[in-house]
Amino acid sequence: MNKSSVLAAVAGMCGSMGAVSGKLAFDSELEQYTRVSCFAVFIASNIVMWATYTRSLALSDCSSTPMIINMACNFALTGILGSLIFSESHSYLWWFLLVVLITGLTMMLSPEKEENLKQD
């Protein structure tokens, strides 16, 4: 995995943390201090997400790879954290498509693909 892919994955994780902290920041059942803290995490994680994502785009040979990695990590982690923290339910189809997404990412980032590109 190259540096661009790692930065795109980090950006996706930060985006997911931004989504979760944003949902908590606007939850009226939490105390004011907790809501303000979550809002600060929301802002910080979005800043880090954009910084790492744009850096991954700059380091990549094409823009589609960082975009797919970022979206996949964000989608997967947001869904899993939603289930764990907010008790959100997902259908079997959602979990199946998550497995398909992870399989596709694994195939896309496999070393064999890079070796085949170098040989051509």
Side-chain angles (χ1 to χ4, degrees):
M1 201 183 233
N2 60 23
K3 189 173 182 178
S4 172
S5 299
V6 171
L7 288 172
V10 169
M13 289 180 224
C14 287
S16 177
M17 287 304 299
V20 170
S21 61
K23 191 169 183 175
L24 289 170
F26 296 105
D27 184 0
S28 60
E29 295 176 8
L30 295 177
E31 294 181 23
Q32 186 68 21
Y33 176 76
T34 306
R35 291 175 63 198
V36 169
S37 298
C38 288
F39 189 74
V41 170
F42 169 75
I43 296 294
S45 62
N46 277 288
I47 290 170
V48 172
M49 180 206 44
W50 281 109
T52 54
Y53 181 63
T54 55
R55 182 74 177 137
S56 73
L57 287 172
L59 293 174
S60 180
D61 295 334
C62 67
S63 62
S64 61
T65 303
M67 180 187 66
I68 292 168
I69 294 169
N70 178 23
M71 184 272 314
C73 289
N74 192 332
F75 173 77
L77 195 56
T78 301
I80 292 168
L81 289 175
S83 292
L84 294 175
I85 296 172
F86 303 111
S87 300
E88 296 174 349
S89 63
H90 299 295
S91 67
Y92 290 117
L93 178 63
W94 188 92
W95 290 106
F96 173 73
L97 292 177
L98 179 61
V99 170
V100 170
L101 183 69
I102 292 169
T103 304
L105 270 176
T106 304
M107 290 172 32
M108 188 176 92
L109 297 174
S110 69
E112 291 175 8
K113 178 184 173 245
E114 292 177 12
E115 289 174 10
N116 289 338
L117 289 175
K118 289 178 184 177
Q119 290 174 356
D120 293 337

